[in-house]
Amino acid sequence: MEPYQFEVCANSVESCLAAQAGGANRVELCAGIPEGGTTPSYGDIVIAREALTKTLLHVIIRPRGGDFLYSPIEQRIMLKDIDNARQLGADGVVFGCLTAKGDVDLSLMRQLIEVSQGMSVTFHRAFDVCRNPQEALEQIIELGCNRILTSGAQATAEQGIPLLKKLQQQADGRIILLAGCGVNENNIAHIAMETGIREFHFSARETIESKMLHRNGTVSMGGTVNIEEYQRPITTVERVKETIKALTGLKQEEAYK
């Protein structure tokens, strides 16, 4: 049986460092977390690559929030961002594209995968809003992707256990399923035992208070969107360790149940 693998969804280089110190196998570096993750900046990728000496660096390629139906100009941006990630030393890239009817966009995926040569490719949670998950699974396997990040088409991976279990059985070792969304130290063992999945994606974040002394609470950088300006979430070493321990601390016979 393959050992468990742990991926931290990192919203900054600080979070990358915490993930590495906590024992994560890799990070998925993202900007725009409230939108579900968007492509991080050139500087973020460069500094994360320098900082991660033990932990693999995967970079999300998503030019905007919202749906996964991309215009020609957005497709060009994605191709360039993948090329940048490769040149900057990323170990993997994370993307997913759908047609207007909710199917995997095979043509665009092939173009993106071709530019991704030499890097691991994860099909992200666009999978969770596709029309037919079972059919999409077979198509993604045929495309040659290394793994699929999925919550089992539900709001959280724990709620998605029934589909995750079916997909894991259908995959039958032909592709890795990476269970993510809402995975934490309180449910990771339950998800593992119920589904048989061996890879997990989680953020392990805590909210920290700004060190700003002068504050203007009447101004929002998000305009009408209510965002707390003087707090920010960051991955912590302690929560990464706790989440990993919650699974690896199980007796082997329970983990393989």
Side-chain angles (χ1 to χ4, degrees):
M1 185 73 71
E2 289 294 317
Y4 293 114
Q5 293 282 303
F6 302 98
E7 175 180 284
V8 169
C9 178
N11 60 350
S12 63
V13 176
E14 276 183 284
S15 289
C16 287
L17 287 169
Q20 178 168 255
N25 301 99
R26 64 178 177 270
V27 300
E28 180 198 29
L29 181 60
C30 307
I33 294 297
E35 296 179 285
T38 55
T39 308
S41 75
Y42 179 95
D44 275 327
I45 300 171
V46 169
I47 303 304
R49 180 67 287 167
E50 291 177 2
L52 294 174
T53 56
K54 301 176 184 177
T55 300
L56 297 175
L57 172 63
H58 287 196
V59 176
I60 193 171
I61 305 297
R62 189 172 176 227
R64 56 164 172 78
D67 63 40
F68 304 100
L69 177 64
Y70 296 111
S71 69
I73 195 70
E74 289 169 337
Q75 295 174 26
R76 290 178 59 197
I77 292 168
M78 294 173 78
L79 289 164
K80 185 60 179 176
D81 282 338
I82 291 171
D83 186 50
N84 283 340
R86 188 183 67 252
Q87 292 189 44
L88 295 177
D91 300 293
V93 282
V94 183
F95 52 80
C97 313
L98 302 179
T99 67
K101 292 184 178 180
D103 297 311
V104 175
D105 188 334
L106 298 174
S107 176
L108 178 54
M109 284 296 299
R110 289 190 185 102
Q111 292 180 59
L112 299 179
I113 289 169
E114 184 177 354
V115 181
S116 305
Q117 292 302 313
M119 295 184 290
S120 177
V121 174
T122 300
F123 193 103
H124 62 39
R125 291 189 63 224
F127 180 85
D128 289 323
V129 293
C130 71
R131 180 182 58 82
N132 185 324
Q134 286 82 5
E135 180 181 287
L137 175 65
E138 296 300 328
Q139 292 175 329
I140 295 167
I141 290 171
E142 187 176 347
L143 285 167
C145 293
N146 299 91
R147 65 180 52 78
I148 300 172
L149 170 60
T150 174
S151 63
Q154 295 296 322
T156 68
E158 189 168 24
Q159 292 172 319
I161 283 174
L163 181 58
L164 288 173
K165 184 175 182 178
K166 291 179 182 178
L167 292 170
Q168 178 74 351
Q169 293 170 346
Q170 180 183 342
D172 193 27
R174 295 176 296 157
I175 194 169
I176 297 165
L177 291 187
L178 172 63
C181 194
V183 174
N184 57 49
E185 57 269 45
N186 298 315
N187 61 24
I188 189 170
H190 175 60
I191 298 168
M193 285 189 290
E194 291 294 325
T195 65
I197 286 173
R198 311 292 298 174
E199 296 203 2
F200 296 90
H201 171 99
F202 54 90
S203 63
R205 294 190 200 108
E206 295 180 16
T207 299
I208 64 170
E209 193 71 17
S210 168
K211 295 181 180 179
M212 286 292 297
L213 299 177
H214 171 73
R215 302 186 180 194
N216 182 351
T218 63
V219 176
S220 171
M221 295 298 110
T224 58
V225 178
N226 185 20
I227 297 174
E228 177 51 63
E229 305 288 351
Y230 297 103
Q231 291 179 343
R232 62 189 178 95
I234 186 170
T235 298
T236 64
V237 175
E238 293 74 19
R239 285 206 67 198
V240 174
K241 287 182 176 179
E242 286 172 9
T243 306
I244 293 174
K245 184 180 178 181
L247 183 54
T248 58
L250 287 174
K251 293 180 181 178
Q252 289 299 94
E253 60 267 25
E254 291 178 337
Y256 297 157
K257 193 173 181 179

